[in-house]
């Protein structure tokens, strides 16, 4: 691989495409923090903060949290010391204003994105993936009741927004609000595409390949 390894990355794709799974698997190779706005909002919710309470209601309905809330969260997070050399954003940006705000914040800091990876998955597989999703209560590792079952004895949690109804709403939001950011990045030559329907190992290998990193 001759191209330099991309370090300021965005993972984009529909709910259930495998963004979180892949981000966690690639931490060792990419050595940049995994910044998931969904995880940050769930933490705020678990702590019972005012923001967490408001966001929680929207999340359970499959609605998006207001742009200004998530933008402020991410701008602050990427200015922390561990994100100086790069980051892997997961679940952000989800709207055009979020994408533009990220560009502005990076420009101000004299920085730029290296790559935006689209993990593709058809609507048909999404509902099954999402309703079967579980997470290790201690480590956050993501499992699936059918495709990657948790080992016996591991305590798992099931997200309250991982219902068939909320997923349909989230998918609708994805197509209306998030998919339009794809041409925005493609036109700047930043977009890389990976088939999210392949087995997880294959998706990881392909991701590293498009990022110019070694497997
Ligand atoms: P996202 O972060 O994009 O919403 P996740 O990484 O949480 O998606 O994955 C959603 C569900 O699908 C999880 O239960 C996960 O175990 C499962 N999953 C992820 N990648 C694959 C894959 N390549 N094949 C089959 N199941 C997968
Ligand atoms: P998924 O794994 O299904 O893609 P996430 O964990 O990324 O979902 O997000 C869960 C919920 O958190 C979303 O449905 C939305 O309500 C909220 N959320 C997360 N990121 C954002 C964002 N960038 N903008 C607005 N809402 C967000």
């Amino acid at each position: 691989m001759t191209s330099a390894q991309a370090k300021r990355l965005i993972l984009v794709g529909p709910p259930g495409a495998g963004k979180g799974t892949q981000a966690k698997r690639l931490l060792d190779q990419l050595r940049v923090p995994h910044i998931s706005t969904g995880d940050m909002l769930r933490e705020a919710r678990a702590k019972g903060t005012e923001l967490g309470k408001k966001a929680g209601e929207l999340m359970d309905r499959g609605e998006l949290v207001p742009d200004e809330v998530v933008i402020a969260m991410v701008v602050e997070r990427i200015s922390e010391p561990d994100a100086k050399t790069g980051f892997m954003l997961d679940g952000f940006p989800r709207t055009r204003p979020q994408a533009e705000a990220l560009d502005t914040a990076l420009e101000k800091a004299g920085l730029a994105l290296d790559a935006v990876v689209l993990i593709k998955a058809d609507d048909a597989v999404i509902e099954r993936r999402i309703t079967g999703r579980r997470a290790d209560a201690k480590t956050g590792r993501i499992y699936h009741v059918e495709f990657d079952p948790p080992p016996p004895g591991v305590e798992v949690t099931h997200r309250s927004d991982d219902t068939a109804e909320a997923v349909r709403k989230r998918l609708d939001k994805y197509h209306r609000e998030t998919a339009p950011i794809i041409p925005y990045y493609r036109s700047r030559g930043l977009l890389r595409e990976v088939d999210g329907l392949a087995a997880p190992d294959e998706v990881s290998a392909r991701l590293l390949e498009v990022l110019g990193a070694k497997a």
Side-chain angles (χ1 to χ4, degrees), residues 31-96:
R31 279 183 238 106
V32 289
H34 169 212
I35 301 178
S36 155
T37 42
D39 285 350
M40 291 167 87
L41 291 166
R42 278 184 290 279
E43 267 165 40
R45 201 176 175 183
K47 282 190 191 136
T49 64
E50 217 34 57
L51 177 142
K53 280 185 211 155
K54 277 195 196 133
E57 287 169 23
L58 293 166
M59 291 163 86
D60 281 346
R61 293 208 306 269
E63 300 282 352
L64 293 180
V65 172
D67 283 338
E68 60 274 19
V69 173
V70 276
I71 289 168
M73 238 170 52
V74 170
V75 168
E76 197 185 307
R77 180 65 187 87
I78 62 176
S79 69
E80 283 174 24
D82 67 332
K84 282 276 177 286
T85 54
F87 49 74
M88 216 185 321
L89 285 173
D90 161 10
F92 181 97
R94 249 179 167 91
T95 63
R96 178 75 186 238

Side-chain angles (χ1 to χ4, degrees), residues 14-21 129 132-134 142-144 147 196 198-200 203:
K19 303 180 295 293
T21 300
R129 281 208 187 168
R133 170 160 59 189
R134 301 290 183 275
I142 302 162
Y143 290 101
H144 190 281
F147 309 134
V203 181

Side-chain angles (χ1 to χ4, degrees), residues 131-188:
T131 52
R133 170 160 59 189
R134 301 290 183 275
D136 186 314
K138 287 201 190 79
T139 66
R141 187 206 186 281
I142 302 162
Y143 290 101
H144 190 281
V145 289
E146 261 180 273
F147 309 134
D148 186 13
V154 169
E155 189 200 336
V156 291
T157 57
H158 185 195
R159 278 169 49 176
S160 57
D161 60 339
D162 277 352
T163 60
E165 199 188 351
V167 168
R168 279 193 285 271
K169 183 80 192 197
R170 265 145 74 197
L171 259 180
D172 180 59
K173 288 273 162 203
Y174 176 79
H175 290 300
R176 280 174 202 267
E177 308 218 27
T178 310
I181 69 174
I182 294 166
Y184 174 72
Y185 290 124
R186 184 182 282 125
S187 68
R188 286 157 57 189

